[in-house]
mmCIF file with all atom_site columns, all heavy atoms in Angstrom:
data_model
loop_
_atom_site.group_PDB
_atom_site.id
_atom_site.type_symbol
_atom_site.label_atom_id
_atom_site.label_alt_id
_atom_site.label_comp_id
_atom_site.label_asym_id
_atom_site.label_entity_id
_atom_site.label_seq_id
_atom_site.pdbx_PDB_ins_code
_atom_site.Cartn_x
_atom_site.Cartn_y
_atom_site.Cartn_z
_atom_site.occupancy
_atom_site.B_iso_or_equiv
_atom_site.pdbx_formal_charge
_atom_site.auth_seq_id
_atom_site.auth_comp_id
_atom_site.auth_asym_id
_atom_site.auth_atom_id
_atom_site.pdbx_PDB_model_num
ATOM 1  N N   . ALA A 1 142 ? 10.831 6.943  -13.805 1.00 87.00 ? 300 ALA A N   1
ATOM 2  C CA  . ALA A 1 142 ? 11.523 6.006  -14.697 1.00 87.00 ? 300 ALA A CA  1
ATOM 3  C C   . ALA A 1 142 ? 12.867 5.609  -14.302 1.00 87.00 ? 300 ALA A C   1
ATOM 4  O O   . ALA A 1 142 ? 12.959 4.689  -13.565 1.00 87.00 ? 300 ALA A O   1
ATOM 5  C CB  . ALA A 1 142 ? 11.485 6.568  -16.181 1.00 87.00 ? 300 ALA A CB  1
ATOM 6  N N   . PRO A 1 143 ? 13.920 6.339  -14.577 1.00 88.00 ? 301 PRO A N   1
ATOM 7  C CA  . PRO A 1 143 ? 15.242 5.742  -14.370 1.00 88.00 ? 301 PRO A CA  1
ATOM 8  C C   . PRO A 1 143 ? 15.662 5.766  -12.957 1.00 88.00 ? 301 PRO A C   1
ATOM 9  O O   . PRO A 1 143 ? 16.623 4.951  -12.621 1.00 88.00 ? 301 PRO A O   1
ATOM 10 C CB  . PRO A 1 143 ? 16.183 6.647  -15.224 1.00 88.00 ? 301 PRO A CB  1
ATOM 11 C CG  . PRO A 1 143 ? 15.561 7.965  -15.326 1.00 88.00 ? 301 PRO A CG  1
ATOM 12 C CD  . PRO A 1 143 ? 14.038 7.640  -15.407 1.00 88.00 ? 301 PRO A CD  1
ATOM 13 N N   . ALA A 1 144 ? 15.145 6.697  -12.043 1.00 89.00 ? 302 ALA A N   1
ATOM 14 C CA  . ALA A 1 144 ? 15.553 6.593  -10.735 1.00 89.00 ? 302 ALA A CA  1
ATOM 15 C C   . ALA A 1 144 ? 14.340 6.381  -9.750  1.00 89.00 ? 302 ALA A C   1
ATOM 16 O O   . ALA A 1 144 ? 14.103 7.063  -8.735  1.00 89.00 ? 302 ALA A O   1
ATOM 17 C CB  . ALA A 1 144 ? 16.128 8.028  -10.349 1.00 89.00 ? 302 ALA A CB  1
ATOM 18 N N   . ASN A 1 145 ? 13.692 5.440  -10.041 1.00 92.00 ? 303 ASN A N   1
ATOM 19 C CA  . ASN A 1 145 ? 12.270 5.091  -9.274  1.00 92.00 ? 303 ASN A CA  1
ATOM 20 C C   . ASN A 1 145 ? 12.614 4.524  -8.030  1.00 92.00 ? 303 ASN A C   1
ATOM 21 O O   . ASN A 1 145 ? 13.140 3.247  -8.050  1.00 92.00 ? 303 ASN A O   1
ATOM 22 C CB  . ASN A 1 145 ? 11.475 4.234  -10.204 1.00 92.00 ? 303 ASN A CB  1
ATOM 23 C CG  . ASN A 1 145 ? 10.139 3.798  -9.485  1.00 92.00 ? 303 ASN A CG  1
ATOM 24 O OD1 . ASN A 1 145 ? 9.843  4.374  -8.442  1.00 92.00 ? 303 ASN A OD1 1
ATOM 25 N ND2 . ASN A 1 145 ? 9.544  2.778  -9.901  1.00 92.00 ? 303 ASN A ND2 1
ATOM 26 N N   . PRO A 1 146 ? 12.487 5.076  -6.811  1.00 93.00 ? 304 PRO A N   1
ATOM 27 C CA  . PRO A 1 146 ? 12.722 4.479  -5.550  1.00 93.00 ? 304 PRO A CA  1
ATOM 28 C C   . PRO A 1 146 ? 11.603 3.505  -5.120  1.00 93.00 ? 304 PRO A C   1
ATOM 29 O O   . PRO A 1 146 ? 11.898 2.826  -4.160  1.00 93.00 ? 304 PRO A O   1
ATOM 30 C CB  . PRO A 1 146 ? 12.814 5.662  -4.683  1.00 93.00 ? 304 PRO A CB  1
ATOM 31 C CG  . PRO A 1 146 ? 11.841 6.560  -5.157  1.00 93.00 ? 304 PRO A CG  1
ATOM 32 C CD  . PRO A 1 146 ? 11.832 6.549  -6.740  1.00 93.00 ? 304 PRO A CD  1
ATOM 33 N N   . TRP A 1 147 ? 10.525 3.341  -5.972  1.00 93.00 ? 305 TRP A N   1
ATOM 34 C CA  . TRP A 1 147 ? 9.265  2.700  -5.421  1.00 93.00 ? 305 TRP A CA  1
ATOM 35 C C   . TRP A 1 147 ? 9.245  1.330  -6.216  1.00 93.00 ? 305 TRP A C   1
ATOM 36 O O   . TRP A 1 147 ? 8.167  0.671  -6.048  1.00 93.00 ? 305 TRP A O   1
ATOM 37 C CB  . TRP A 1 147 ? 8.124  3.518  -5.651  1.00 93.00 ? 305 TRP A CB  1
ATOM 38 C CG  . TRP A 1 147 ? 8.038  4.741  -4.795  1.00 93.00 ? 305 TRP A CG  1
ATOM 39 C CD1 . TRP A 1 147 ? 8.303  5.951  -5.220  1.00 93.00 ? 305 TRP A CD1 1
ATOM 40 C CD2 . TRP A 1 147 ? 7.834  4.792  -3.403  1.00 93.00 ? 305 TRP A CD2 1
ATOM 41 N NE1 . TRP A 1 147 ? 8.220  6.818  -4.183  1.00 93.00 ? 305 TRP A NE1 1
ATOM 42 C CE2 . TRP A 1 147 ? 7.896  6.054  -2.972  1.00 93.00 ? 305 TRP A CE2 1
ATOM 43 C CE3 . TRP A 1 147 ? 7.596  3.811  -2.401  1.00 93.00 ? 305 TRP A CE3 1
ATOM 44 C CZ2 . TRP A 1 147 ? 7.801  6.585  -1.744  1.00 93.00 ? 305 TRP A CZ2 1
ATOM 45 C CZ3 . TRP A 1 147 ? 7.359  4.267  -1.104  1.00 93.00 ? 305 TRP A CZ3 1
ATOM 46 C CH2 . TRP A 1 147 ? 7.398  5.693  -0.801  1.00 93.00 ? 305 TRP A CH2 1
ATOM 47 N N   . GLY A 1 148 ? 10.407 0.803  -6.642  1.00 91.00 ? 306 GLY A N   1
ATOM 48 C CA  . GLY A 1 148 ? 10.323 -0.583 -7.320  1.00 91.00 ? 306 GLY A CA  1
ATOM 49 C C   . GLY A 1 148 ? 9.796  -1.675 -6.479  1.00 91.00 ? 306 GLY A C   1
ATOM 50 O O   . GLY A 1 148 ? 10.122 -1.551 -5.181  1.00 91.00 ? 306 GLY A O   1
#
Side-chain angles (χ1 to χ4, degrees):
N303 177 16
W305 295 104

